[in-house]
Amino acid sequence: PSVAPVKDFSDFEDFSDFEIFSDFEPVKRGTVSDAAGFDALRDAEVLRKAMKGFGTNEQAIIDVVAHRSNKQRQQIVLSFKTAYGKDLIKELKSELSGNFEKAVLALLKSSTIYDATELKEAIKGAGTDEQCLIEILTSRSNAEIHAINSAYKTEFKKTLEQDIKSDTSGHFERLLVSLIQGNRDESQHVDITLVKKDVQDLYNAGEGRMGTDESRFNAILCARNRSHLKAVFEEYRLVCKYDIEKTISREMSGNLERGMLAVVKCLRNTPAFFAERLCKSMKGLGTDDKTLIRIMASRCEVDMLDIRAEFKKMYGQSLYSFITDDTSGDYRKLLLQLCGSND
C-alpha cells in the first residue's frame, strides 16, 4: 500500500521551533525531557554553589544535569558564563575527575558538537573506532548529519569526509562516505515492486555470484528509507530462507562486514541495536566507558525507554541492574538517573 507523501522538512533548520506538522514529529521515548519551571540562572547558581569552597557537591550536579534536556543544559552553560564570567565546562573539569567528569561533560555539550567530537576521536585514535563511526552515522537523521558535518568543519578545520578518507580505505571508506552525505530517503513509502527488485539485486550481488558486488549492498543500504529496508530484509529472509546478516557475514569480512551488519541492525531495530552495544560495553572484563557514556548521553532524550525494553527482552536482565553491577560511585548514580528506572 502506498503511504501519503511526507512533507519535505529540508527547508527548516531546527525542527523544535516548528510545530505545525506535529504528526510527523518522532514520538519522544526518552527518560529525560524539558524540565518544567526551568530557570537557567537558578541552575547555574546551584552548580556554582556545588563547586564553591572545599569539596564538591556531586549530588547537586547530578540533580541538575540528569534532569534537564540538552537544550536546557545549553542555556545553563550560557547563563553561567553570563552571571560569573567563567566557563562552566572548564570549572567542572577542574572539580571532577574520571568517568563521572566525562559523563557530565558529555551531557553539557550540544548533541551536534558531542557527535562531531566523538567522530573526531574515533578517527584520530591509534586504531579507528569503526563501531563508533557506524553507530553515529547510521542512527542520526539527515538533518542531524548535515549539522554534524558543519559543526565538524567549524571545530576541526577539516571536513569529516576528508578525515574519513585519510583514515579508512576500500569499501568500508565508501560505506562511511555514503552515510555522511545525509541523503537517505526519509519517507515511509514502500513500493513492493522495488522491494522485490532490491532483494533480487542483493541476492545477485552476494549469494548469486562468485565474489561479491559490495557497491550494490552499499547503494541499497545507504539510500533507501527505513520502512522500505525492513520490507527488504523480511522479503530476503522469505526468498533466501535466511537473514541478510548471514549473507553479509559470509560475503564480507573485517570492518566492512562489521559496518554493514551494524547498518542492517540499526535500520532493522534501532533500540535493539543500542541495547546490544550497551551490553557489549559492559559484558566481560573491563567496561568500554566511552561507548557506555556516549549511548546513555545521546539516547536519554530519544529512545531510552525502548532501549531498556529491548535490553530486558534480549538479556533477561534490566539495563539498570547491568549498570549497577558494572559501575560505581557518582558515575553510577548519574548513569542510573539517565537510565530512569529498573525494569
Side-chain angles (χ1 to χ4, degrees):
S2 73
V3 179
V6 173
K7 296 204 168 39
D8 179 14
F9 285 119
S10 55
D11 308 340
F12 306 113
E13 286 299 290
D14 182 0
F15 293 174
S16 54
D17 303 336
F18 197 80
E19 299 294 340
I20 305 171
F21 301 130
S22 61
D23 39 328
F24 294 124
E25 294 254 326
V27 182
K28 287 275 184 249
R29 299 279 302 147
T31 45
V32 174
S33 55
D34 282 339
F38 171 67
D39 179 341
L41 196 54
R42 190 179 59 219
D43 284 345
E45 215 166 297
V46 168
L47 291 174
R48 180 165 174 264
K49 279 202 184 105
M51 294 185 282
K52 239 179 100 185
F54 188 68
T56 309
N57 181 352
E58 284 87 357
Q59 190 57 52
I61 294 173
I62 294 170
D63 290 342
V64 170
V65 299
H67 298 282
R68 307 290 182 271
S69 66
N70 188 277
K71 205 170 173 181
Q72 291 176 330
R73 294 191 289 262
Q74 300 314 302
Q75 291 169 288
I76 297 169
V77 172
L78 183 60
S79 288
F80 192 93
K81 195 171 255 186
T82 308
Y84 309 115
K86 284 178 172 178
D87 189 317
L88 176 57
I89 291 182
K90 280 189 183 141
E91 294 295 299
L92 286 163
K93 261 187 179 162
S94 66
E95 292 287 331
L96 311 176
S97 62
N99 288 318
F100 179 57
E101 176 197 325
K102 289 183 185 129
V104 169
L105 298 182
L107 290 166
L108 288 175
K109 284 183 178 145
S110 79
S111 318
T112 307
I113 295 282
Y114 182 54
D115 281 347
T117 312
E118 287 291 296
L119 289 168
K120 180 67 173 177
E121 285 176 8
I123 294 169
K124 77 163 206 264
T128 311
D129 181 353
E130 293 88 10
Q131 289 295 317
C132 167
L133 296 175
I134 287 287
E135 173 204 303
I136 293 175
L137 296 174
T138 315
S139 59
R140 306 307 191 250
S141 68
N142 289 345
E144 287 167 332
I145 288 179
H146 296 156
I148 291 167
N149 275 315
S150 95
Y152 194 98
K153 187 159 196 255
T154 308
E155 201 78 3
F156 307 116
K157 311 293 172 261
K158 250 180 162 177
T159 69
L160 177 54
E161 190 169 323
Q162 286 169 326
D163 274 349
I164 282 173
K165 283 180 169 166
S166 66
D167 204 67
T168 57
S169 60
H171 289 288
F172 182 62
E173 174 196 314
R174 289 176 212 172
L175 173 65
L176 294 175
V177 169
S178 296
L179 293 171
I180 60 174
Q181 301 315 307
N183 193 31
R184 180 182 298 284
D185 167 19
E186 286 185 336
S187 73
Q188 318 263 299
H189 184 69
V190 178
D191 171 352
I192 210 67
T193 322
L194 185 59
V195 168
K196 288 188 186 319
K197 183 183 181 308
D198 281 349
V199 168
Q200 190 60 55
D201 283 355
L202 288 169
Y203 179 79
N204 293 345
E207 304 284 352
R209 56 172 283 166
M210 287 292 290
T212 313
D213 177 5
E214 293 88 353
S215 60
R216 204 63 223 126
F217 278 83
N218 200 75
I220 293 170
L221 292 177
C222 295
R224 303 279 193 254
N225 74 55
R226 230 167 238 270
S227 308
H228 174 90
L229 285 169
K230 282 181 183 171
V232 168
F233 301 152
E234 209 32 59
E235 181 74 10
Y236 190 93
R237 196 169 54 96
L238 294 173
V239 173
C240 302
K241 306 286 177 273
Y242 43 77
D243 282 331
I244 188 149
E245 285 92 331
K246 195 167 175 190
T247 294
I248 290 172
S249 295
R250 286 218 288 236
E251 297 286 326
M252 302 172 197
S253 60
N255 288 342
L256 181 66
E257 177 195 351
R258 287 192 293 273
M260 288 279 185
L261 282 176
V263 170
V264 170
K265 281 180 182 170
C266 190
L267 291 164
R268 194 192 273 281
N269 182 340
T270 305
F273 168 76
F274 281 113
E276 186 186 339
R277 297 273 294 144
L278 283 167
C279 181
K280 281 188 177 154
S281 75
M282 293 181 275
K283 215 174 66 187
L285 275 169
T287 306
D288 172 3
D289 291 292
K290 201 158 174 39
T291 300
L292 177 56
I293 291 169
R294 182 176 60 251
I295 297 176
M296 295 306 290
S298 62
R299 307 310 289 184
C300 62
E301 280 180 63
V302 185
D303 53 3
M304 187 57 70
L305 295 171
D306 298 325
I307 293 172
R308 272 171 31 190
E310 291 291 343
F311 196 97
K312 184 84 190 248
K313 202 161 77 186
M314 290 159 74
Y315 305 109
Q317 210 184 329
S318 69
L319 175 59
Y320 195 94
S321 65
F322 246 76
I323 293 172
T324 305
D325 295 344
D326 213 71
T327 57
S328 61
D330 295 309
Y331 175 48
R332 176 201 281 162
K333 280 184 200 159
L334 176 55
L335 292 181
L336 291 177
Q337 293 288 314
L338 298 177
C339 177
S341 56
N342 203 345
D343 299 303

